[in-house]
């Protein structure tokens, strides 16, 4: 399980919001900042076939009919220098943690690719994607991108990642009607906007931005998961149209109460860790709830815990550590939670022993 620090960059999660790339935090502090200071991007008119640092052919041992190539941390600067046209059946290309500044792919290769992973490079401008007609997954996380543009023609995209860039506005996504997963965590976004055409969207990741309210989500009828941790939210308003919502992650904000979830009856996971909620209320209708993450708030009443949660038959996990109800009586805290919710299976990070 994650440690609930509010980071949701590079997420591949089940219902516990586990970070699938454990090095993401480290990259944010080390690799990426190193790139910012140590490597200057070349001018836009630089010679496109720049030799890579090593004269060796990184792909000389690769079978010509391979459908997947993964070159991680190989100091690659130039995509053309890889001579990818040798691999006519290539569908998935991973070039993570390199020094690529431009997306410059042979058109024959681009047309066949379904997955392109350029996580942690030095790309400042989204361009060069005109021929990627079959692309389903595009990862441009941990780069230097300021504007989302030149991707609206990628109508087959299902997964799009722009985590840890310098993006201040959600834009340029019109036409991506098949998009299911959009990750924009750790940018400079202040407003949720321009998502109306994303009718298939199921997961929206917006952690570590500067968003003050959840709005403009009404057209996203298939949205199943929202992560908006470490922002500037003060309430849970704006979710009333999201009847399919199952997972909501809003830790590390400034939320004071839990009203606003009246229409979200399918909610299974609710995480409001590290907020300013003082009363456990407005949850009685959430009969499908399985996990409640409420650590480090101002909750003080075991009576509220029992009233709101005792009848939740699917509830397995609760986190209340760091609240007054735990800090005032740590020795009896776990027993009191068990009395309030007899069927609970996990309290904080510890499983309940069945006697």
């Amino acid at each position: 399980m994650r440690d609930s620090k509010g980071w949701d960059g590079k997420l591949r999660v089940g219902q516990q919001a586990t970070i699938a790339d454990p090095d993401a935090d480290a990259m944010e502090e080390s690799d990426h900042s190193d790139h910012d200071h140590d490597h200057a991007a070349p001018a836009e008119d630089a010679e496109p076939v720049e030799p890579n640092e090593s004269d060796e052919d990184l792909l000389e041992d690769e079978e010509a009919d391979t459908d997947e190539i993964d070159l991680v941390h190989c100091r690659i600067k130039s995509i053309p220098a890889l001579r990818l046209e040798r691999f006519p059946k290539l569908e998935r290309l991973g070039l993570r943690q390199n020094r690529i500044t431009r997306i410059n792919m042979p058109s024959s290769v681009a047309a066949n690719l379904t997955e392109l992973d350029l996580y942690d490079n030095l790309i400042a401008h989204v361009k060069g994607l005109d021929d990627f007609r079959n692309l389903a997954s595009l990862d441009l996380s941990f780069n230097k991108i300021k504007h989302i543009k030149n991707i609206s023609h990628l109508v087959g995209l299902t997964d799009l990642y722009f985590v840890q860039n310098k993006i201040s506005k959600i834009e340029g996504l019109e036409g991506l009607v098949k998009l299911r997963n959009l990750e924009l965590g750790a940018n400079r976004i202040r407003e949720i906007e321009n998502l109306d055409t994303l009718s298939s969207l199921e997961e929206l990741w917006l952690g570590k931005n500067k968003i003050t309210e959840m709005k403009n989500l009404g057209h996203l009828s298939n949205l199943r998961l929202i992560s908006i941790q470490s922002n500037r939210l003060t309430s849970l308003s704006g979710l009333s149209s999201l009847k399919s919502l199952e997972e909501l992650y809003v830790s590390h904000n400034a939320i004071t109460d839990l009203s606003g979830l009246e229409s979200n009856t399918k909610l299974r996971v609710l995480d409001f860790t590290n907020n300013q909620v003082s009363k456990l209320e407005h949850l009685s209708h959430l009969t499908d709830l399985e996990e409640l993450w409420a650590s480090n708030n101002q909750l003080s009443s075991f009576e509220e815990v029992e009233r709101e949660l005792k009848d939740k038959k699917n509830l397995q996990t609760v986190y209340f550590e760091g609240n007054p109800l735990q800090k005032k009586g740590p020795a009896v805290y776990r027993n009191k939670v068990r009395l309030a919710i007899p069927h609970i299976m996990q309290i904080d990070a510890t499983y309940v022993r069945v006697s």
Side-chain angles (χ1 to χ4, degrees), residues 150-165:
N150 301 320
I151 62 169
S152 60
H153 65 289
L154 303 176
V155 294
L157 274 182
T158 58
D159 297 272
L160 180 60
Y161 310 96
F162 280 107
V163 176
Q164 188 71 37
N165 278 281

Side-chain angles (χ1 to χ4, degrees), residues 37 41 44 110 121 141 177 195 198 249 253 259 308 314 324 335:
H37 293 101
E44 283 299 309
N121 277 278
S141 299
V177 295
L195 298 175
L198 307 184
Y249 302 97
N253 280 283
S259 59
E308 295 291 317
N314 295 323
N335 280 338

